[in-house]
Amino acid sequence: MRVLRWTFGAIVVLGLIVAGYVAWLVLQPGVTDFAGGTAVDLAAYTGPSPTGTPADLPQGDALSRGAYLTAAADCAACHTAKGGVPFAGGRPFKLPFGTIYTPNLTPDRETGIGNWSDAEFLRAVHKGIGKGGEHLYPAFPYASYTMLTDADVLAIKAYLFSLAPVHQATPPNTFGFPFNQRWLMAIWSTLFNKDERFRPRPAQSPVWNRGAYLVEAAGHCAECHSPRNLMQAPDTRQKMAGGQAEGWNAYNITSDRLSGIGAWSTQEVTDYLTKGHAAGRGTASGPMREAVELSLTKLTRGDIAAIVTYLRTVPAIRSSASPEPTGPAPKLASAGPSDNPVGKRIFEGACTSCHAWTGAGALVGQAQLTGGRAVNDPSATNVAQMVLNGSGKATSGHPVMPGFASAYTDTEIAAVANYVTARFGAVPSKVTAKEVTRLREQN
């Protein structure tokens, strides 16, 4: 039986390799050169360097620059367990084929990276190969980080080495065969990791090139905001058209005016990135809220402007899962959906004091429901996630929605999520208690 199992596993692996290669050939033509002009090596670029720290950052010591780049790369979000010490790892990412835990990035010599050399750290970030030569899983976005310059990667390493060591071993991953075969990641890297540093485009402005470096390399936005292909690499034909992150929908951020951010003003995009909220557009929650609080709020105004400049040039891709948002909801409770008494009862008792019956927000703009992408998402995934987990942290300085995971059953959470989309969105959702259970298990 053991031989049969391994034989079957080998056949499965071979099938995945062949299918993935075909998918790469047919479905992955490469990143479209939508920007125009020819990319050049950084050494040949005569404009201001798009890498490193920005000109409008007060130039401190090397560690200050490393701290800035570490924030730009959003390292703390993934490498900090909930309630744990920052950068000490242990955060679980639950995938269909098992759970992966992020490693300890503090300079502890036994459980962290305290005995890693510069060359080993560079190899991990650029090539996805660990200290012992093991291939890393692409949950670590090295296919994006590979574009970071050596200097920036080593600045991040210097900052991490300045932290207090935390002795905390990383729990073992729970992947079953064949997904526990790390050597398969060598094939994945051959197909999807170009192992090239960032190449600016002289035909574009310095601001655009800086934004490209922050979005494509450091911020690795496409890792969450793009769908995945058969081998779990971002689908470059649908780049930035929407994906998933830890059970949350990461919405379309292309320049499409209906399903993306093409109709957003520059100020609205800026507000969303820096405050986690844009009036009439919605409030960031889940992994995006973490990106705002731990990364984007740390960036200079110039770098935020560069990100916005670059995002506005991402080609428009229409997503069928994003209907046009509706306007304000009726002011009267009786005007809402009448076929969901449980959802209405919960909304009346727990939600109206902050959100109001109109969804306009009773006290603060951040509580506005109408117009937001989550409320107009027919899957209601993010609405259910927000009811379960809340939005943000009490220490963030922004209004916070508490989580209700312990207050309501999965059936009740499904009911109120469906009530919210029916009352304030374009298309009523039909999320089930079973789906809410699955979302609960991912957190």
Side-chain angles (χ1 to χ4, degrees), residues 245-286:
E246 298 182 80
W248 293 73
N249 286 336
Y251 293 118
N252 188 330
I253 55 172
T254 73
S255 56
D256 183 71
R257 294 185 61 82
L258 175 61
S259 55
I261 58 173
W264 293 36
S265 69
T266 296
Q267 189 61 53
E268 287 171 339
V269 180
T270 300
D271 286 346
Y272 196 86
L273 296 178
T274 57
K275 302 176 183 178
H277 172 76
R281 300 295 185 181
T283 299
S285 300

Side-chain angles (χ1 to χ4, degrees), residues 270-340:
T270 300
D271 286 346
Y272 196 86
L273 296 178
T274 57
K275 302 176 183 178
H277 172 76
R281 300 295 185 181
T283 299
S285 300
M288 186 62 200
R289 185 72 179 201
E290 288 182 317
V292 171
E293 293 179 350
L294 299 176
S295 176
L296 294 165
T297 56
K298 313 294 184 184
L299 303 187
T300 65
R301 295 179 63 181
D303 270 357
I304 293 295
I307 290 173
V308 175
T309 297
Y310 179 76
L311 287 177
R312 288 201 167 283
T313 68
V314 175
I317 300 176
R318 178 63 52 87
S319 172
S320 60
S322 300
E324 186 174 2
T326 59
K331 294 182 179 181
L332 299 177
S334 59
S338 59
D339 60 345
N340 187 350

Side-chain angles (χ1 to χ4, degrees), residues 201-221:
R201 301 184 185 278
Q204 294 294 326
S205 70
V207 172
W208 185 95
N209 278 294
R210 176 64 177 176
Y213 186 67
L214 292 170
V215 170
E216 300 286 356
H220 57 280
C221 303

Side-chain angles (χ1 to χ4, degrees), residues 52-54 57-72 152 154-160 162-163 210 298-300 303:
T53 52
L57 178 74
Q59 297 301 305
D61 55 22
L63 289 183
S64 297
R65 295 193 294 273
Y68 185 90
L69 292 168
T70 302
D152 285 357
L154 294 180
I156 291 173
K157 177 178 179 286
Y159 172 73
L160 294 174
S162 74
L163 303 174
R210 176 64 177 176
K298 313 294 184 184
L299 303 187
T300 65
D303 270 357

Side-chain angles (χ1 to χ4, degrees), residues 10-22 178-179 184 191 230-231:
I11 293 173
V12 170
V13 170
L14 181 61
L16 288 173
I17 293 172
V18 172
Y21 183 64
V22 172
F179 303 104
L184 291 172
L191 296 176
L230 182 64
M231 293 189 73

Side-chain angles (χ1 to χ4, degrees), residues 109-437:
R109 296 186 65 82
E110 293 182 9
T111 64
I113 60 172
N115 60 354
W116 285 51
S117 68
D118 286 354
E120 290 167 340
F121 194 78
L122 282 167
R123 184 176 66 169
V125 173
H126 286 158
K127 300 178 183 294
I129 299 176
K131 179 177 174 60
E134 72 279 12
H135 290 275
L136 305 178
Y137 289 103
F140 173 54
Y142 57 83
S144 294
Y145 286 162
T146 194
M147 289 184 279
L148 293 171
T149 64
D150 288 8
D152 285 357
V153 173
L154 294 180
I156 291 173
K157 177 178 179 286
Y159 172 73
L160 294 174
F161 269 59
S162 74
L163 303 174
V166 178
H167 190 81
Q168 178 174 296
T170 303
N173 300 330
T174 64
F175 293 169
F177 185 83
F179 303 104
N180 60 357
Q181 303 298 299
R182 286 183 177 268
W183 63 269
L184 291 172
M185 296 303 100
I187 300 172
W188 190 97
S189 292
T190 299
L191 296 176
F192 303 113
N193 182 20
K194 296 178 68 175
D195 190 18
E196 294 179 356
R197 308 300 83 81
F198 179 76
R199 303 179 76 227
R201 301 184 185 278
Q204 294 294 326
S205 70
V207 172
W208 185 95
N209 278 294
R210 176 64 177 176
Y213 186 67
L214 292 170
V215 170
E216 300 286 356
H220 57 280
C221 303
E223 299 282 348
C224 290
H225 288 279
S226 301
R228 298 273 168 172
N229 64 16
L230 182 64
M231 293 189 73
Q232 295 301 298
D235 182 353
T236 57
R237 294 188 69 178
Q238 298 290 315
K239 192 172 185 179
M240 308 286 192
Q244 287 194 328
E246 298 182 80
W248 293 73
N249 286 336
Y251 293 118
N252 188 330
I253 55 172
T254 73
S255 56
D256 183 71
R257 294 185 61 82
L258 175 61
S259 55
I261 58 173
W264 293 36
S265 69
T266 296
Q267 189 61 53
E268 287 171 339
V269 180
T270 300
D271 286 346
Y272 196 86
L273 296 178
T274 57
K275 302 176 183 178
H277 172 76
R281 300 295 185 181
T283 299
S285 300
M288 186 62 200
R289 185 72 179 201
E290 288 182 317
V292 171
E293 293 179 350
L294 299 176
S295 176
L296 294 165
T297 56
K298 313 294 184 184
L299 303 187
T300 65
R301 295 179 63 181
D303 270 357
I304 293 295
I307 290 173
V308 175
T309 297
Y310 179 76
L311 287 177
R312 288 201 167 283
T313 68
V314 175
I317 300 176
R318 178 63 52 87
S319 172
S320 60
S322 300
E324 186 174 2
T326 59
K331 294 182 179 181
L332 299 177
S334 59
S338 59
D339 60 345
N340 187 350
V342 174
K344 179 180 178 181
R345 170 177 57 80
I346 295 172
F347 187 83
E348 181 177 21
C351 309
T352 55
S353 60
C354 289
H355 297 290
W357 280 112
T358 62
L363 300 174
V364 294
Q366 285 85 342
Q368 181 178 356
L369 294 175
T370 53
R373 185 61 64 196
V375 173
N376 289 279
D377 177 357
S379 75
T381 295
N382 287 12
V383 174
Q385 286 277 33
M386 290 173 70
V387 177
L388 282 168
N389 303 292
S391 173
K393 300 178 181 178
T395 58
S396 66
H398 302 289
V400 173
M401 173 179 166
F404 294 91
S406 60
Y408 297 109
T409 67
D410 293 346
T411 299
E412 290 173 320
I413 289 174
V416 73
N418 290 331
Y419 181 84
V420 167
T421 60
R423 182 175 177 83
F424 304 110
V427 180
S429 62
K430 296 187 181 300
V431 64
T432 66
K434 184 177 181 180
E435 290 171 317
V436 173
T437 300

